[in-house]
Amino acid sequence: MRRIACIAWLFCVLGLPLGLLAADDFYIEQDADFEVLGLDRRSVVRMHELGRFIAENLRRDLGIRSSDYGGSIQVSLRPADKAGFSEHYLLSIGAHGEIALDFRWDETLSLEQTCYALTLAYVTRYLYYDAGLKSLANTRTWPVAALATRSYLQLRPGQISTMVESSRQEIPLQLNRILELKGYDATAAYASRDGYWLWVSLDRLIRLAPVRVRELMLRSLQGQDIAPVLEAILQPDESDLGSLDGWWQACLQELLGRSHFVFESLDESRAWMEQVADLSTVELEGDAPLNLRRIWTHRSEDPVRVALQARVELIQLRLPRINPAYYNSAVTLGILYQTLLDSEQKFEYIGALAKFLGEFEDMKRTHETIRLELESAG
């Protein structure tokens, strides 16, 4: 993270009103996916961490690389009284393909809305560089809603019960209607719920291979009608249901009638652990990339402390969701980060580091053993 030396230039690039130029400090966090600008250092770091988390999910789910699709998405956190718009966020595309996401930064912005906006921005960048501006008009709503909801539920797993109860109270849309919905207006609650339930049905109920689920999502994002493909996949095994919508109604009955386990898979939890333990994105001027073994001498620097605090909070949010096998690893990583924030005794840091590394490496070995056993059994 660094202070912006040329504020006026950045304001022009991001399209912010020049009237905001003042003596305030501005902060920025950036990587290949998101460049976050704001007045409050902690807010900027937390938004960037959330962006990294969502981008990692989308790269895995869609099988795309950030480096293939233009520059970073410009994210600005605008004070509500100076935002110039009443919506929670605005997404825009510049003349040269720059993707800008402006948040009206106040307490009314929810985590769910933020997850959706970041997902939407990432997908927009991909589609713009993959198929051009005109392709965006035909993008189906359900994959965007599904991907955003998945990230949100990973951070707030307790909300799955609220979502299930809400879906039970509503009359579900017919599947053809869900597959036809175009554009990015997923503000209606049902759009988010139904898109997520469709993804879960494909992924878990009929157990499509991940590559097939990815193919269906990408086709829908590119504006294609996947109903004929789904019908071909479901026949003849599901022919007794009478129609594609009969299959959909049966899926909803199954999903909404069961108890929902909210734990992640082993692979998901391991990938997230590796991501949150990676400190190379913490920017220190004129220094080599940061890691867990050389962080002690930098622990008092402001960018490091802000990043550590943000990750402690992220771990606390994730603990109810993480696979139980990796729970102790997550707890010991949180203790390590808190030790770096609170302790002046190096031996305490060394002890916390050794505890985390031992716990995490042991679990990774166990994970690998389980994977090999499952492969041999299959």
Side-chain angles (χ1 to χ4, degrees), residues 43-194:
S43 296
V44 168
V45 170
R46 293 179 69 181
M47 178 64 77
H48 184 252
E49 291 287 338
L50 180 59
R52 287 182 65 226
F53 165 70
I54 287 176
E56 182 63 30
N57 275 348
L58 294 174
R59 281 193 293 270
R60 181 177 61 250
D61 292 337
L62 298 178
I64 59 179
R65 297 183 303 176
S66 303
S67 58
D68 291 342
Y69 298 100
S72 300
I73 297 161
Q74 308 287 336
V75 180
S76 61
L77 311 183
R78 300 180 179 227
D81 59 340
K82 299 176 181 177
F85 55 87
S86 58
E87 298 87 351
H88 289 297
Y89 60 85
L90 289 178
L91 181 67
S92 59
I93 304 175
H96 302 290
E98 310 92 349
I99 309 298
L101 176 61
D102 296 338
F103 284 101
R104 191 174 187 271
W105 196 243
D106 63 14
E107 66 279 358
T108 65
L109 179 68
S110 70
L111 177 61
E112 185 174 16
Q113 291 163 337
T114 307
C115 288
Y116 183 80
L118 291 169
T119 302
L120 175 60
Y122 191 99
V123 169
T124 298
R125 182 182 64 170
Y126 158 68
L127 291 173
Y128 179 87
Y129 283 94
D130 186 67
L133 184 61
K134 291 183 179 179
S135 67
L136 298 175
N138 293 317
T139 294
R140 284 353 191 226
T141 297
W142 78 265
V144 182
L147 293 164
T149 302
R150 179 174 183 264
S151 291
Y152 171 66
L153 291 176
Q154 284 179 321
L155 295 171
R156 294 287 172 83
Q159 290 301 310
I160 187 67
S161 58
T162 302
M163 190 168 145
V164 168
E165 186 58 34
S166 180
S167 294
R168 287 170 177 165
Q169 304 294 327
E170 300 287 340
I171 299 175
L173 289 179
Q174 290 188 337
L175 183 56
N176 282 337
R177 177 57 180 151
I178 297 169
L179 297 178
E180 290 170 354
L181 284 172
K182 297 179 182 179
Y184 289 143
D185 184 13
T187 53
Y190 69 78
S192 179
R193 289 197 298 271
D194 288 344

Side-chain angles (χ1 to χ4, degrees), residues 198-214:
L198 176 55
W199 174 77
V200 173
S201 298
L202 296 172
D203 184 61
R204 300 180 191 172
L205 291 191
I206 62 174
R207 297 188 181 280
L208 279 185
V211 68
R212 296 300 303 277
V213 177
R214 177 186 300 167

Side-chain angles (χ1 to χ4, degrees), residues 246-369:
W247 167 81
W248 169 238
Q249 297 299 327
C251 286
L252 286 177
Q253 289 180 16
E254 167 71 13
L255 290 170
L256 302 182
R258 63 164 56 172
S259 297
H260 284 265
F261 294 94
V262 298
F263 298 128
E264 300 169 339
S265 70
L266 285 168
D267 289 338
E268 288 176 319
S269 290
R270 174 174 175 169
W272 181 79
M273 286 293 304
E274 290 172 342
Q275 178 183 334
V276 81
D278 178 12
L279 297 170
S280 62
T281 58
V282 180
E283 190 171 332
L284 296 177
E285 208 162 313
D287 211 332
L290 200 61
N291 60 47
L292 290 175
R293 297 182 184 278
R294 57 184 299 270
I295 192 175
W296 177 256
T297 56
H298 298 281
R299 71 191 186 285
S300 61
E301 298 180 34
D302 284 347
V304 174
R305 295 190 65 81
V306 172
L308 290 173
Q309 185 60 50
R311 295 192 186 199
V312 168
E313 294 174 4
L314 192 60
I315 290 170
Q316 290 171 340
L317 279 173
R318 189 67 170 251
L319 281 178
R321 176 79 177 185
I322 201 164
N323 190 286
Y326 279 103
Y327 185 88
N328 287 343
S329 298
V331 170
T332 54
L333 181 59
I335 292 172
L336 171 59
Y337 285 160
Q338 197 64 54
T339 300
L340 286 162
L341 287 168
D342 297 341
S343 179
E344 294 298 325
Q345 304 297 323
K346 189 173 183 178
F347 73 88
E348 294 182 350
Y349 152 71
I350 293 173
L353 176 62
K355 180 69 172 175
F356 164 67
L357 293 177
E359 189 76 46
F360 192 36
E361 291 303 318
D362 284 348
M363 190 55 238
K364 286 194 290 185
R365 284 191 291 270
T366 302
H367 181 177
E368 185 64 14
T369 300

